[in-house]
Structures are given as C-alpha cells and as structure tokens.
Amino acid sequence: MTSADRFSYGPWHDGPDPLAPPVDLRDALDAIGRDVMDGRSPRSALEELLRRGTPNTSGLDELTRRLWQRRSQIQRRHNLDGTLQQVRELLDEALRAEKAKLFPDPDDDARFREAQLDALPSGTAAAVRELAEYDWRSDEARESYRKIQDLLGQELMESRFQGMKQALENVRPEDTERIRRMMADLNDLLLSHLRGEDTTEQFQDFMRQHGEFFPENPRNTEELVDALAQRAAAAQRMMNSMSEQQRSELAELMAGAFGDPRLVDQIASLDANLRALRPGEDWTGSARFRGNQPMGLGEGAQAMADLAEIDALAEQLAQSYPGARLEDIDVEALERQLDEDARVDARRLAELEKELREQGLLERAPDGSLRLSPKALRRLGQTALKDVVNAARRQGQRDARNAGAAGEPTGSTRPWQFGDTEPWDTSRTVRNAVLRTASTGSISLDVVDVEVVETEQRARAAVALCVDTSWSMVQDGRWVPMKRTALALHQLITTRFRTDALQLITFGRHARSVELAELVGLEGVWEQGTNLHHALLLAGRHLRRHSDAHPVVLVVTDGEPTAHLEPDGAAVFDYPPLDSTLRKTVAEVDALAKLGASVSVFMLGEDPSLARFVDLIARRSGGRVVNPDLDGLGAAVVGDYLRTRRPRS
C-alpha cells in the first residue's frame, strides 16, 4: 500500500460536525412551551432553556459554573513568588559552590572573598546586583549566576511574548542581540503606527525579519498591537497583584536580564507605546493569589490573561448585553479554559437558538420583544387540545375530535372508530390497504385501513372567550390553566371549526381584545379590578360584527365584578363591588341575551359572593355556571363550546 492509499481519522474540527444529529427542535419547543404556560414570557422561556440546557447538552449555567471553578482554582493554587524563588535558589547554589571552592585555599584573597560573600545584603535583588562584577573562582558558581541572568531575561520576554521562554532555553550572546534588535524594530513600528503613518510595508518587513517571535501570525499592525497589548496588560496586572516589596525586588533584578540593561529599557518603551495605542485595555486591575504553587513572570502573565479570558467568557455566557447571541461565544477560548466538551456544548446551544429563529418558531413582535410564532402556537395548541381531550375522556365526556355528523366536510380524514357514521374516504382507505399488504402480493381490506371523512356542523358560531387576568388569577395558581384553556379552544376552532369566529378577551382593571400569541406570552402583573362589564361590552361588539353566526360567550373568572367602565373610558374600581358596577355588568348580560347569547361562566374557587352573582347571570341569559377544578377547566370550556355552538331549536 502506498502512502497515498493510507488514511487517518480523527475528530472533526473545521466547523460543525457534518455527521452530528440535527438539533431536536421538538423537545426544545415543548420545553419553551411548558415554561410559557407556567407564566414566563417567550424570551425568558428561551433564556431558561439555554441556561438549563438539554438532556444531552450542558446549559449556560453549568458552563459558567465550570468557568468560575476554573478561575477559583487558578487563584487558590498559585502565588506570584516563582521568579524570586528561582533566583534565590540559583543564587544560593552559586554561593555554596563558590564557598566550597574557596575553603581549601589558604591565601588571604580567598578569606577576603569569603568575607565579601558573607557580607552580601539579605535581599535577593541587592545580592545579585553586588555580585555583577564579582570574579567567580568556581566554574559551577559562575554558571549558576549566568543562569540567573538568563532566567530573568526569559521570564521578562515570556511576560510580554507568549511562548518565548521555551524558545530561549539555551540562549547565546547572539540570541540576546537578536532579541534586542527585534525589540528596537518593534518599537519603531509601533511609534510609526502611533503617529498615524501607513505601516503596511514596515510591518511586512518586520515580520519577514522577526516573524519567528510571533506564533500568533498577525496579519497587520492592528492585530500585532492587539496581541501585544493584551499580554502587556496582563503582565501589568500581575505586577499590580504583587506586594510592594515583590515589585521592588523584581524591578531591580530585571536590570540584569541577559546581562543587558538595554533590554529593560526596550520593554519599558514597548509598554508605553502599547498603553498609548490601547488605553482601553485593563492596565490597573489586579487579582489575589493565595496558593502554594509559585509562578514565574511568564506564568503569572498567562494566569492574568486566563483570568481576563474567563471573565470575558462569563460575560458572553451571561448574554446580558444588548443584542446578545450565543454565536458571540468564543468557543476556542472556552475549549482552552475548560475542554472540548464545553466547546461542543456551547456550539450546540448556539445552533439550537439559531434554528429556533430560522425555523420560524420564534419571531419579533412589533415592539421588538420575542414571541412565539403561529407555527409554534399551533404546536403548543395541539398539545393543549390533546390534554383537554384526555381529560374529557377521563371524565366520561364525548371525544372532542368528533366534529359533527352529516355535516360539511372539513377537508381532513381520520381513522374509523366504533360508532362513527361519517362516510368513508375511499381513496385513502384503498391506499392504506395497498401499503399494508404490498409485500404479501395480495391486496385485502381490513378495518384498520378505513378512514372516514371528517365533517363539521354547518352552523357557524361567533365565540367570545373572556378570561380574567386580575392578580388573584396569578396569586392563586389559575394563570396557567387559563392560558392552556385558551390555547386548546383556539386550536379546536382553527382546525375543526374553521368558519367559527373566535375573539379572545382579557379583563383586569380594563378589558381588551388580544391575539393568541399575546395572551400566551402575557405576564401576570399586580392590578386591582375585575372589569367583567368592559369584557362583555367587547364580546357584544364581536357578536354584532358576526350577526349571521350563533353567539357563544364563555367567561373564566375567580372573582365578582369590582370595576366597570364609565362613558369617558375611565375604569371605576371599588371593593366590595359598587351597586353601579353590578348594575352595569348585569345590563350588559341582558344586552347579550337580546342577541341570543347565553353566558356560560366557569367559576374558579369557592367565593360565595361570586357564586350568587354568576347564578344571577346564568338565570338572566339562559346560560349555566360550571365550577371545575383547575385540571378540568380546559375540558369544561371546550365541552361547553361544543354544546352551545349548536343553535337552539
């Protein structure tokens, strides 16, 4: 086998995995729908889903928790004494080796040298400085002292240029000169850029000569400045995090980096240029390190850069800034700070959010808020109606899917069930038989193949569903069942009784007509008043617009009327109810009765005053009062709609 015939396999890293399963929008929408029904707005329901995650994907809260854990580990495990400790250890090695070399010599010079070494200052930096001109007798001691200079140079460069320490492990004099020349050229480039000059050619020439020092491979001066400024700011924050004594010692030691004081001057110029070019970087921050694992200057600068990256990622995961999208999350940075699983989870969440919008399940309302689309509402309505049907079955009521006998075809079919009298849909029945028996070679008809034509009564109804949205509905846990009821009724009418005209009306201090999406996304607010009078006024207006249809008025409430509408549009509230409020409400019931509408009231709770009032309404309008439990509210409303939409003979 030739080398061209060999293949290797590994994880997919170039964008989304093309073989990954598609995002499961069904489960996501169901989860959002449950939260919306529980009283959350669609926006907060989506945010909750993304925070919580899915069974197979960690949510934003879990990713954020892991980030803060990572941040805490960096600060709890490390301290910033690494470079000072290493210098002290190398200095002690040099002194031990030199004293061991001097001890056997009987001459006075050896004794003088011993005294000179014994009189060194206790401070590490001062001792290193005094030994700068010392003529070492021990080759081992001379090498240890040289290592101090090299270490300081490596740490100084690593604190400003990531990855430099490893590249300078075996530094030679010519390497030091090369670094000094690179620093001089870099500062010249930055000064030209700071003056506003076109540095395109200068940058290209600089990268040709010194590109080996920049593994980030910047494409232009701006990208180079960005990379350098972030690192330099991290190094400055590390210095800010040290004690005054540590900063003073390091500043004094760095003058001997690589044995060339000019390098420190170049670093100081670099920092000044970067501060001028990127004043928005965090040059004044600090952090507290309280662990027992020492870090050198390069490691400390990297730790500060990691902390800054973690803070930026946490802000991205919080999604609290205007226009936030999960696509903003830097998944490569997330993988650096956590692991590949975190990157995959963040990408899946971003795809989920994107697909929910692109598939038309979420849309922007005119006011800019997020709301469920008609497509999503249909899906939630199907679920709500299914729950209502199941509840009706448990209560022994007739299946709400039956749309009437000997009526007008709806255009749909359904499997035959025992007791059905609707005509067969012959073409679909035969098709089912063919598909079922195609593999056997002989076609036979079975009862499971039969589909019947779905019909609806020819009568058309104008339906007004008035739902109480006063604070007591929220407070007493009736908010969610009310929404589910409206969803189920809307789904039934729009799919089974398409010619019926449904109007949804909410009433608190005032009443208003709303669309289904607005009602589903409605959040409970503290508001006193149950203005049934205003709701019935709007219901009457709806019935008059559809005078050719059979009128149906359904009211869901948990309290007697405590507000009414004045001719000027003002709502008058009082508790206990004013006589004028009750009179106006009853008068509107009488007006509806003249239109042929009976008012069915679904009373929630056991308020005796409410019970007396709704009994009065039922008697005057020929309607009825139903006192369902919350689980049976939807079945009660849908069942009453099916009963009352048929014209009375």
Side-chain angles (χ1 to χ4, degrees):
M1 180 182 293
T2 66
S3 60
D5 296 326
R6 294 174 185 163
F7 301 93
S8 61
Y9 299 90
W12 177 272
H13 292 295
D14 188 14
D17 185 353
L19 300 180
V23 178
D24 192 347
L25 296 181
R26 180 184 57 188
D27 289 345
L29 181 58
D30 286 344
I32 291 174
R34 285 194 299 269
D35 285 343
V36 169
M37 291 300 96
D38 285 338
R40 283 192 172 95
S41 68
R43 176 71 219 179
S44 63
L46 173 59
E47 291 173 349
E48 178 62 24
L49 172 67
L50 297 175
R51 285 196 297 266
R52 187 173 58 230
T54 67
N56 299 319
T57 304
S58 296
L60 298 178
D61 283 351
E62 173 60 17
L63 293 175
T64 302
R65 184 195 67 79
R66 293 182 60 196
L67 276 179
W68 290 129
Q69 185 179 46
R70 160 84 170 142
R71 195 184 205 286
S72 179
Q73 287 173 350
I74 291 174
Q75 294 183 266
R76 287 203 317 266
R77 291 180 179 178
H78 301 94
N79 62 53
L80 299 175
D81 290 340
T83 298
L84 291 173
Q85 288 187 23
Q86 286 182 278
V87 170
R88 186 76 241 182
E89 290 170 1
L90 288 171
L91 179 62
D92 290 343
E93 288 177 9
L95 293 176
R96 282 195 300 269
E98 182 69 4
K99 288 179 179 180
K101 183 70 174 179
L102 295 173
F103 179 74
D105 291 345
D107 57 78
D108 292 339
D109 182 61
R111 303 287 80 76
F112 175 77
R113 287 171 177 269
E114 287 178 339
Q116 186 179 359
L117 296 179
D118 289 338
L120 286 173
S122 58
T124 302
V128 171
R129 185 183 66 250
E130 286 206 13
L131 291 171
E133 303 299 329
Y134 182 81
D135 184 17
W136 301 91
R137 284 193 179 184
S138 167
D139 292 337
E140 180 183 353
R142 185 180 299 106
E143 178 64 18
S144 293
Y145 188 81
R146 187 190 65 79
K147 286 181 178 178
I148 291 176
Q149 295 177 321
D150 290 348
L151 171 67
L152 292 171
Q154 292 166 7
E155 291 287 358
L156 181 61
M157 296 303 293
E158 174 73 8
S159 68
R160 300 309 193 279
F161 305 92
Q162 187 174 4
M164 187 71 80
K165 185 176 181 180
Q166 290 76 14
L168 299 175
E169 285 182 350
N170 299 307
V171 67
R172 298 166 297 178
E174 55 266 32
D175 295 326
T176 304
E177 179 58 27
R178 188 161 51 91
I179 292 170
R180 191 197 63 76
R181 190 167 60 251
M182 181 273 291
M183 291 294 299
D185 291 346
L186 176 59
N187 278 316
D188 287 343
L189 172 63
L190 296 184
L191 281 172
S192 298
H193 190 63
L194 187 58
R195 289 193 295 266
E197 300 174 7
D198 183 359
T199 59
T200 304
E201 292 185 7
Q202 189 177 358
F203 169 79
Q204 293 172 351
D205 183 58
F206 175 82
M207 292 301 294
R208 277 194 297 270
Q209 295 185 54
H210 309 297
E212 60 187 298
F213 293 105
F214 303 94
E216 304 94 343
N217 195 26
R219 294 170 295 182
N220 50 51
T221 307
E222 285 291 335
E223 290 189 6
L224 176 64
V225 171
D226 286 340
L228 292 174
Q230 290 172 8
R231 188 73 175 183
Q236 183 59 56
R237 293 196 300 275
M238 176 200 63
M239 296 297 291
N240 298 342
S241 304
M242 293 180 174
S243 67
E244 187 64 37
Q245 181 180 357
Q246 288 174 324
R247 284 196 296 271
S248 176
E249 290 250 338
L250 279 173
E252 191 172 349
L253 283 170
M254 287 306 164
F258 289 138
D260 188 348
R262 293 175 298 175
L263 185 61
V264 177
D265 293 337
Q266 292 285 6
I267 289 290
S269 297
L270 174 65
D271 287 350
N273 291 330
L274 292 173
R275 279 177 178 263
L277 287 165
R278 293 293 184 270
E281 289 287 342
D282 183 6
W283 299 94
T284 60
S286 63
R288 180 185 176 193
F289 294 87
R290 51 191 184 276
N292 53 18
Q293 297 179 14
M295 294 186 296
L297 291 183
E299 293 172 325
Q302 184 59 50
M304 297 304 297
D306 285 341
L307 293 180
E309 190 168 69
I310 288 172
D311 291 343
L313 284 169
E315 183 178 5
Q316 293 166 16
L317 292 175
Q319 295 283 285
S320 57
Y321 51 92
R325 292 287 182 92
L326 292 189
E327 295 170 351
D328 302 339
I329 296 174
D330 187 342
V331 293
E332 284 74 22
L334 194 61
E335 182 174 7
R336 280 196 299 271
Q337 297 303 329
L338 296 179
D339 51 32
E340 185 179 0
D341 288 343
R343 177 182 64 81
V344 172
D345 288 340
R347 180 165 286 167
R348 282 177 179 168
L349 291 174
E351 290 173 0
L352 175 60
E353 181 190 43
K354 181 180 178 182
E355 285 297 314
L356 282 169
R357 288 191 170 95
E358 290 187 350
Q359 292 295 326
L361 299 176
L362 296 171
E363 63 181 18
R364 290 286 176 188
D367 62 358
S369 63
L370 199 65
R371 68 182 181 188
L372 296 175
S373 69
K375 182 178 179 180
L377 290 172
R378 285 194 297 271
R379 174 64 186 274
L380 295 177
Q382 291 169 3
T383 302
L385 183 57
K386 181 180 178 181
D387 292 341
V388 164
V389 169
N390 291 335
R393 285 175 175 172
R394 289 192 298 269
Q395 297 171 10
Q397 296 179 17
R398 187 169 178 263
D399 193 338
R401 292 179 304 166
N402 293 328
E408 185 176 331
T410 66
S412 300
T413 65
R414 58 179 174 78
W416 177 87
Q417 293 181 355
F418 180 78
D420 282 339
T421 59
E422 290 83 0
W424 288 15
D425 186 304
T426 308
S427 60
R428 291 192 62 86
T429 300
V430 173
R431 176 178 175 273
N432 292 340
V434 171
L435 292 176
R436 182 177 55 80
T437 60
S439 61
T440 65
S442 61
I443 300 175
S444 61
L445 192 64
D446 191 90
V447 69
V448 298
D449 303 321
V450 178
E451 289 201 26
V452 296
V453 176
E454 199 171 61
T455 62
E456 64 182 2
Q457 285 188 309
R458 292 186 177 89
R460 178 172 178 267
V463 186
L465 175 63
C466 306
V467 292
D468 189 345
T469 55
S470 60
W471 179 247
S472 60
M473 292 285 288
V474 180
Q475 188 176 22
D476 295 333
R478 295 157 183 162
W479 191 255
V480 176
M482 174 271 289
K483 287 187 179 182
R484 288 194 177 119
T485 298
L487 258 175
L489 183 62
H490 185 277
Q491 179 69 14
L492 177 63
I493 291 176
T494 55
T495 58
R496 308 286 176 174
F497 300 96
R498 297 183 182 90
T499 60
D500 284 6
L502 172 64
Q503 179 70 73
L504 300 175
I505 299 170
T506 63
F507 62 98
R509 177 68 68 94
H510 288 86
R512 60 195 183 100
S513 301
V514 297
E515 296 297 326
L516 180 65
E518 186 178 359
L519 176 59
V520 169
L522 192 65
E523 296 185 45
V525 294
W526 190 88
E527 182 182 53
Q528 287 183 310
T530 304
N531 198 336
L532 180 58
H533 168 242
H534 192 186
L536 296 178
L537 277 171
L538 296 181
R541 183 184 304 169
H542 173 65
L543 299 185
R544 292 184 185 93
R545 282 200 301 266
H546 302 277
S547 57
D548 61 328
H550 178 66
V552 177
V553 179
L554 310 170
V555 177
V556 177
T557 185
D558 68 348
E560 58 184 323
T562 56
H564 68 268
L565 200 66
E566 289 291 332
D568 62 358
V572 176
F573 163 78
D574 201 359
Y575 184 84
L578 299 172
D579 289 341
S580 57
T581 298
L582 298 178
R583 283 196 306 270
K584 285 179 176 289
T585 305
V586 171
E588 203 54 42
V589 171
D590 293 341
L592 291 174
K594 291 178 181 178
L595 295 175
S598 60
V599 179
S600 294
V601 181
F602 301 87
M603 186 183 76
L604 303 178
E606 302 294 338
D607 183 1
S609 298
L610 173 61
R612 288 192 296 270
F613 182 77
V614 295
D615 283 341
L616 174 64
I617 289 178
R619 288 196 305 271
R620 296 180 74 97
S621 68
R624 66 174 188 153
V625 176
V626 183
N627 186 208
D629 57 29
L630 293 179
D631 290 337
L633 176 61
V637 171
V638 168
D640 197 78
Y641 158 72
L642 292 172
R643 179 185 65 83
T644 57
R645 74 176 300 276
R646 301 181 181 90
R648 288 171 289 184
S649 56

